[in-house]
Amino acid sequence: MKTPNYWIEYAADWRLAPMAYWVHVEADGKPWARAERFEPPAPAAVPHKGFPIICVEFGEFTLQFSSQAQIAECIRVLSLSPLPTTSRLVALRNPGVGLNSHWLSRLPSGIKSPKNRALCVKTLVAVLSKMSGSANP
């Protein structure tokens, strides 16, 4: 497998990443947008830069994550066979949220095919492996 193409960009808010809400659950009793403690913990800002956004190129699409925990969850879900329904995943986190807001519903259908899911998982595993040996988020 060729080395995956990934890079880091910076944003003013880590919560803007597509998977942030679905992975980082508020742990202090406050609404998610105002919470200060999360499980798993929220990513930390880099001084004078902002919050790292991990961008992973997969074909013509760029996946964006604001934490390694989000990448791990993407790997976990895309590895499931059959792929869970969006309604099932939404029910696990917050049944009151619209199905179209879930990160899985926002992925292009081409990524969700069994063949491409396997390739995407391999790419994401390789990115996590490279990142675990570096000082990146």
Side-chain angles (χ1 to χ4, degrees):
M1 181 174 136
K2 79 174 200 176
T3 304
N5 187 20
Y6 79 98
W7 62 94
I8 305 294
E9 295 179 356
Y10 293 89
D13 190 348
W14 65 271
R15 288 176 169 99
L16 298 177
M19 292 185 65
Y21 173 81
W22 301 100
V23 173
H24 299 280
V25 178
E26 59 278 15
D28 57 9
K30 297 178 184 175
W32 189 79
R34 291 195 324 258
E36 297 173 13
R37 283 192 2 242
F38 297 88
E39 187 55 43
V46 174
H48 311 292
K49 289 186 178 184
F51 292 92
I53 303 296
I54 307 156
C55 302
V56 181
E57 188 176 78
F58 184 74
E60 296 178 13
F61 192 70
T62 301
L63 301 163
Q64 295 182 327
F65 308 92
S66 56
S67 72
Q68 289 184 25
Q70 293 169 32
I71 297 174
E73 177 64 2
C74 190
I75 290 168
R76 184 190 75 77
V77 170
L78 293 181
S79 295
L80 296 173
S81 185
L83 188 63
T85 64
T86 302
S87 58
R88 170 83 174 120
L89 295 172
V90 167
L92 293 171
R93 171 69 168 100
N94 184 349
V97 174
L99 299 179
N100 200 35
S101 67
H102 192 275
W103 66 268
L104 186 59
S105 73
R106 310 307 300 160
L107 282 182
S109 59
I111 290 180
K112 294 186 249 186
S113 73
K115 177 183 175 186
N116 284 338
R117 281 195 344 247
L119 292 171
C120 188
V121 165
K122 284 176 99 169
T123 298
L124 294 173
V125 167
V127 167
L128 269 184
S129 177
K130 285 187 75 167
M131 293 182 79
S132 66
S134 72
N136 289 333

